[in-house]
Amino acid sequence: MNVSGLSLRDLEYVVAVADEGHFGRAAERCNVSQPTLSVQVRKLETALGLVLFERSNRRVLMTAAGQAIVRQARAVLGEAQRLLALATEGRGAPLTGRLVLAAIQTLGPYYFPLVLRLLRQEFPLLSLALTEARTAEILDGLRDGRIDAALVSLPVPAGGLTVSPLFVEPFWLACPAEHPLAQGGALRARDIAGPDLLLLDEGNCLRDQTVAACGAGSSAGRHATSLETLRSMVAAGAGYTLLPALAVPAGPDPSGLTVTRGFDADGPGRTIALAWRSSDPRAAGLAHLAAFFRAHAPPATAACRDDAARPSPDLPLRNRDRRAEAV
C-alpha cells in the first residue's frame, strides 16, 4: 500500500473504535454514520492486509496487529494535530478544536460543573471531551496522546510533562453525627488516625494523602471505591473519612446522620494542577487554560501563584505550604 493512500480520517475512525470499543459510539464521536465508519475501517484493513478488530454482536476487541496499528495511528494523528497547532499558535490564536481534558475521579464530578459554563465563554472554539480516571491512568493517557491535558493532585512524576499548580483544596472530616469527633475543639489531622478511619482503595491518590495527613498505617481502615461510597458508609455509622472541600455538601446534612468539620490552621489539603505534554505546541494556549483555572479557583480553595513551587513529594500539603503557594 502506498502511503498516499492513507487517510488521516480513516486513522481517526480506527482510533475512535479502539477507544470506544463500539462502532456505533465511534461513529457518533466522529460525526458520521455507523455504516460509513464501518466501511472505511474495512477498507483500511483490506489495504493493510490486517484484521484490526474482532467483531461480535456484543463487543469489539483489538487484535494483536490492531494494537500496534492503533498505537502508531495515535502517533500519526498527534503529529498532524501538532502541525495544525503550530499554525494556529503562530497566529496567536487561542485553543481551538478538540481537547481531551481529564481529571482525577475525586475532583472531576465536583469541579467540572463549577467551571464548564465559564470555560465555554472563555474558549468558544474549543470542543472539550471530558473524562475521569485515576492518576496512573491519566499519566499514561497524557504520555501516549489519548489525553491532552489533565487536572491532577500533586505530586506527580513530571518527566516529559509541564505541571502548573492551580489551587489548594483543603480536606474536611466527615463523621457520623454521634461520633466523638463530631464535637469538640480544634480538630487536628492526627486526631483521626484511629480504627474507624475509612479509606479509598489502593491506587487512589486521595487514599495516600489521607494516610500521610493523619499518620495512619497504609492498611488501616475499611476501604471503598469512591467518595460517594465513603459518604454512604459514614452515614451508616461505619466510620469517618476525609473529603476534599469541593466534595463537601453545602450546609448541614438534612438527614442529620453526618457532620462535616474543618481542621485547625495546620490542616491537611492537596494542590490541584494542570498537566500537559511539554512537547505539545499548544503550550501557550494550555498555559492560558491553566491561568483561567487559577483565576476561577472555587471559593473553598486558595489560588496558587503562577510560579508556585511544586509541593514536596514526601510530605502532605498543609497550611504552612499554602502560605508559600497561595495568593
Side-chain angles (χ1 to χ4, degrees), residues 62-82:
M62 278 191 291
T63 64
Q67 291 176 359
I69 294 297
V70 168
R71 186 163 51 247
Q72 189 60 37
R74 292 190 198 280
V76 171
L77 291 171
E79 291 304 319
Q81 183 62 46
R82 290 185 179 92

Side-chain angles (χ1 to χ4, degrees), residues 153-175:
S153 177
L154 297 181
V156 294
L161 299 177
T162 297
V163 179
S164 182
L166 305 177
F167 55 83
V168 176
E169 182 183 22
F171 295 153
W172 285 59
L173 173 74
C175 65

Side-chain angles (χ1 to χ4, degrees), residues 5 21 37-38 41-42 97 105 107 114 125 133 153 159 206 253 259 277 315 319 327:
L37 182 140
S38 298
V41 171
R42 284 285 191 191
Q105 294 168 327
L107 177 71
L114 300 178
L125 301 180
S153 177
L206 182 58
D253 180 0
V259 169
R277 289 181 300 281
L315 292 174
N319 276 9
V327 176

Side-chain angles (χ1 to χ4, degrees), residues 153-154 165-173 187-189 206 209 213 242-246 261-272 299-312 315-327:
S153 177
L154 297 181
L166 305 177
F167 55 83
V168 176
E169 182 183 22
F171 295 153
W172 285 59
L173 173 74
L187 186 64
R188 299 163 298 181
L206 182 58
Q209 290 163 346
L242 288 185
L243 294 178
L246 296 184
R261 297 185 59 196
F263 287 84
D264 63 13
D266 200 32
R270 64 183 182 180
T271 297
I272 300 300
T301 69
C304 296
R305 294 194 304 267
D306 288 0
D307 60 347
R310 297 184 184 121
S312 170
L315 292 174
L317 184 66
R318 298 180 183 276
N319 276 9
R320 60 176 172 271
D321 304 309
R322 296 173 198 163
R323 284 193 292 271
E325 290 203 358
V327 176

Side-chain angles (χ1 to χ4, degrees), residues 281-293:
R282 297 170 294 179
L286 291 166
H288 180 188
L289 181 62
F292 166 86
F293 285 133

